[in-house]
Amino acid sequence: QVQLVESGGGLVQPGGSLRLSCAASRSIFSINRMGWYRQAPGKQRELVALITTGGTTNYADSVKGRFTISRNIAKNTVYLEMNSLKPEDTAVYYCNADVVSSSTLTLSQSWGQGTQVTVSS
């Protein structure tokens, strides 16, 4: 079963920066699109950023110009560089990937367990 493990969350002051990482492992034949979502208390999970195998990116309007998504295809890893953080960025951030399993050769979505990002003074 594919496993996504996030790291890099934490507490940061407004205006600060954090870098999230997500590594995919186990039973991977290939990974297509990877991305980051977030869910704040009392709100629905929302898209933050996506990146395709070819490097095409897509961002939520609220993070454009502040966040940058990138990936290392060889390491099955995706990153989210977050700058100029605001209190409204506070949420649990989830890694997401469209993965073809090496055991079944079928495409499915996988999710990480989430990492907390808190922006507060």
Side-chain angles (χ1 to χ4, degrees), residues 9-18 38 66-67 82-93 116-121:
L11 173 64
V12 63
Q13 292 186 343
S17 299
L18 281 175
R38 67 185 181 187
R66 300 188 298 121
F67 291 11
M82 304 185 293
N83 298 312
S84 303
L85 282 161
K86 305 175 181 179
E88 51 263 43
D89 294 318
T90 296
V92 178
Y93 283 70
Q116 177 70 45
V117 171
T118 302
V119 184
S120 175
S121 55

Side-chain angles (χ1 to χ4, degrees), residues 12-32:
V12 63
Q13 292 186 343
S17 299
L18 281 175
R19 188 186 193 222
L20 305 183
S21 299
C22 171
S25 62
R26 299 184 183 176
S27 303
I28 297 170
F29 180 77
S30 66
I31 300 178
N32 297 341

Side-chain angles (χ1 to χ4, degrees), residues 2-97:
V2 175
Q3 184 177 39
L4 300 180
V5 178
E6 300 109 331
S7 61
L11 173 64
V12 63
Q13 292 186 343
S17 299
L18 281 175
R19 188 186 193 222
L20 305 183
S21 299
C22 171
S25 62
R26 299 184 183 176
S27 303
I28 297 170
F29 180 77
S30 66
I31 300 178
N32 297 341
R33 188 179 60 181
M34 299 187 80
W36 291 92
Y37 290 72
R38 67 185 181 187
Q39 187 166 19
K43 294 187 177 181
Q44 289 188 333
R45 190 172 297 188
E46 63 176 2
L47 170 69
V48 176
L50 292 173
I51 186 167
T52 68
T53 304
T56 300
T57 58
N58 184 32
Y59 296 92
D61 288 342
S62 59
V63 306
K64 283 181 181 177
R66 300 188 298 121
F67 291 11
T68 302
I69 188 170
S70 61
R71 67 187 287 184
N72 184 321
I73 294 175
K75 294 185 177 180
N76 292 326
T77 301
V78 64
Y79 308 94
L80 186 67
E81 187 75 34
M82 304 185 293
N83 298 312
S84 303
L85 282 161
K86 305 175 181 179
E88 51 263 43
D89 294 318
T90 296
V92 178
Y93 283 70
Y94 296 91
C95 177
N96 172 269

